[in-house]
Amino acid sequence: EPEVTQTPSHQVTQMGQEVILRCVPISNHLYFYWYRQILGQKVEFLVSFYNNEISEKSEIFDDQFSVERPDGSNFTLKIRSTKLEDSAMYFCASSDRLATNIQYFGAGTRLSVL
Amino acid sequence: KQEVTQIPAALSVPEGENLVLNCSFTDSAIYNLQWFRQDPGKGLTSLLLIQSSQREQTSGRLNASLDKSSGRSTLYIAASQPGDSATYLCAVRPQGGSEKLVFGKGTKLTVNP
C-alpha cells in the first residue's frame, strides 16, 4: 500500500541551527501538508502546498519556516534558525483531494532542539 | 475559531467490550471529519472519513457517526481487542476552502487482555 515516507525519524540539533525535514508523498497526490505535535499537545496545522506554492498557512508558520518541492518526489520543510520551542514531532501528509479528501500521514520526524 | 474536544482523555476497558469515543466541535460548518489512530511514537493512520452530507461510515469493527448540527461525532469500536490500544484522534476540515485539519487532543484507549 502506498505510504508517505519521512526522513529522518529523529533529528537532534542545536538552537539556532537550520534543519530540513524531508518527505516523500504518495506518488499520485497533488496536495501536501505539514503538521506538528508538541509533546502532550494537539496536532497543529502548519502549511498546505499545491501546484508549487503555499495554499494556506497557520500563524505558527512564520518567516523561520519554508517549504519546497525541489523535484518530482520530495517535499521539504526548512526551519532556518531553530528555537527550543520548535522541538516537536513533525508530520507530513498528502492527499489526492479530488477523489477521497483523505489526508495520509507519514510516521513523523521527531525534532529535538537543544 | 474551530475547537475540537475529545472525551474521555483516557479509557481502559477489558477485552471484548464495545466502546464509544466522543468528539465534539464548536463550529458546525465543516467539510468533513476524519478519525485517526496514533500508536506511540508513530504517525497517524486514517481510520474513517465522513463527509458533511453523511451520517455514518463503517469499516470492519469500527463505526463512526456524525451529527453536524449538534457538532458531535462518535467512534464505536465493537468487540475490542488488545491490538486496538492506541490514541484515537478526531479531526475536522472546516468549510470555506480551508485545507487544514483541526485536531482534538485524542482519547488514549487501553484494552486489557
Side-chain angles (χ1 to χ4, degrees), chain A residues 5-80:
Chain A
T5 305
Q6 290 187 244
T7 55
S9 57
H10 191 192
Q11 174 91 46
V12 181
T13 190
Q14 296 289 326
M15 190 170 56
Q17 294 296 304
E18 175 183 286
V19 294
I20 297 176
L21 310 183
R22 303 182 191 279
C23 170
V24 179
I26 295 173
S27 62
N28 63 336
H29 286 184
L30 300 176
Y31 297 80
F32 314 116
Y33 314 88
W34 284 101
Y35 293 80
R36 79 173 185 189
Q37 185 178 32
I38 295 171
L39 189 63
Q41 298 189 24
K42 294 181 179 182
V43 176
E44 303 171 287
F45 169 79
L46 293 177
V47 66
S48 60
F49 190 86
Y50 169 70
N51 200 24
N52 282 321
E53 59 183 31
I54 291 173
S55 51
E56 186 177 358
K57 61 182 181 179
S58 71
E59 296 167 352
I60 304 166
F61 195 88
D62 61 21
D63 292 344
Q64 291 298 313
F65 291 89
S66 63
V67 289
E68 192 178 32
R69 188 152 163 83
D71 54 42
S73 59
N74 290 285
F75 179 51
T76 62
L77 174 69
K78 181 193 290 186
I79 309 175
R80 271 183 255 287

Side-chain angles (χ1 to χ4, degrees), chain B:
Chain B
K1 181 185 172 186
Q2 179 73 268
E3 295 283 345
V4 178
T5 303
Q6 292 186 246
I7 294 173
L11 181 64
S12 183
V13 301
E15 182 176 3
E17 193 162 297
N18 302 325
L19 58 100
V20 174
L21 307 180
N22 297 293
C23 171
S24 61
F25 44 96
T26 54
D27 188 343
S28 62
I30 64 168
Y31 190 74
N32 60 42
L33 182 146
Q34 205 166 339
W35 282 94
F36 293 88
R37 170 186 172 134
Q38 184 176 29
D39 293 282
K42 300 285 182 66
L44 309 179
T45 301
S46 179
L47 297 173
L48 289 164
L49 180 141
I50 311 178
Q51 301 291 357
S52 62
S53 58
Q54 297 175 320
R55 296 298 298 264
E56 65 178 319
Q57 282 285 338
T58 299
S59 176
R61 293 183 293 109
L62 305 180
N63 176 277
S65 68
L66 174 63
D67 184 344
K68 202 174 79 157
S69 61
S70 68
R72 293 183 183 183
S73 176
T74 60
L75 179 66
Y76 175 82
I77 303 177
S80 57
Q81 303 169 358
D84 295 330
S85 298
T87 297
Y88 290 81
L89 302 177
C90 164
V92 299
R93 183 179 161 200
Q95 276 184 353
S98 175
E99 296 286 336
K100 68 182 178 188
L101 295 178
V102 179
F103 282 83
K105 206 170 178 182
T107 294
K108 184 175 180 180
L109 173 66
T110 303
V111 181
N112 301 299

